[in-house]
């Protein structure tokens, strides 16, 4: 056997092993094994959900505001959307306010929005 044939066989064997591993795991994502890493990952996921809820609250407030009126976005709107749309019932007001402040600054809302997230 020459070197090219051996490399080809190794590549095929490695591919078959990866496919068998994927079939056994059935596409499940690997969870962090260490509890601290799992907690950090859950906190990041919760903050991403709060950012989405804050973005939705800003968008709905802008849609509801009349021409020339400021859009009023409250922390309670973010908390309500997080509970209704994403199932996060227990969200602290501080975390929701931080997410709203982040989205408020990202979306340049100072020109046409009013919020209680800074109070």
């Amino acid at each position: 056997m020459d070197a090219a044939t051996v490399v080809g066989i190794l590549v095929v064997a490695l591919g078959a092993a990866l496919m068998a591993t994927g079939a056994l795991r059935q596409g499940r994502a690997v969870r962090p094994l260490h509890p601290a890493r799992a907690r950090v990952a859950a906190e990041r996921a919760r903050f991403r959900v709060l950012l989405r809820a804050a973005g939705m609250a800003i968008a709905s407030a802008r849609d509801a505001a009349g021409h020339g009126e400021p859009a009023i976005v409250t922390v309670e709107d973010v908390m309500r959307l997080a509970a209704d749309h994403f199932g996060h019932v227990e969200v602290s007001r501080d975390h929701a306010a931080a997410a709203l402040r982040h989205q408020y600054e990202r979306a340049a809302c100072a020109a046409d929005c009013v919020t209680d997230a800074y109070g």
Side-chain angles (χ1 to χ4, degrees), residues 33-67:
L33 297 177
H34 196 269
R37 285 181 27 204
R39 194 171 30 259
V40 169
E43 288 172 7
R44 268 189 260 144
R46 182 176 296 137
F47 192 68
R48 279 194 304 270
V49 165
L50 286 175
L51 288 176
R52 285 190 210 124
M56 290 170 61
I58 290 171
S60 65
R62 281 181 169 167
D63 289 343
H67 182 69

Side-chain angles (χ1 to χ4, degrees), residues 9-90:
I9 291 172
L10 288 175
V11 168
V12 169
L14 180 63
L18 287 173
M19 288 176 23
T21 302
L24 290 174
R25 294 193 53 80
Q26 298 175 353
R28 292 180 302 226
V30 177
R31 292 185 182 169
L33 297 177
H34 196 269
R37 285 181 27 204
R39 194 171 30 259
V40 169
E43 288 172 7
R44 268 189 260 144
R46 182 176 296 137
F47 192 68
R48 279 194 304 270
V49 165
L50 286 175
L51 288 176
R52 285 190 210 124
M56 290 170 61
I58 290 171
S60 65
R62 281 181 169 167
D63 289 343
H67 182 69
E69 295 178 354
I72 300 171
V73 187
T74 63
V75 176
E76 284 77 22
D77 293 338
V78 176
M79 293 171 69
R80 182 181 43 81
L81 285 169
D84 292 348
H85 288 279
F86 301 106
H88 289 278
V89 180
E90 294 187 20

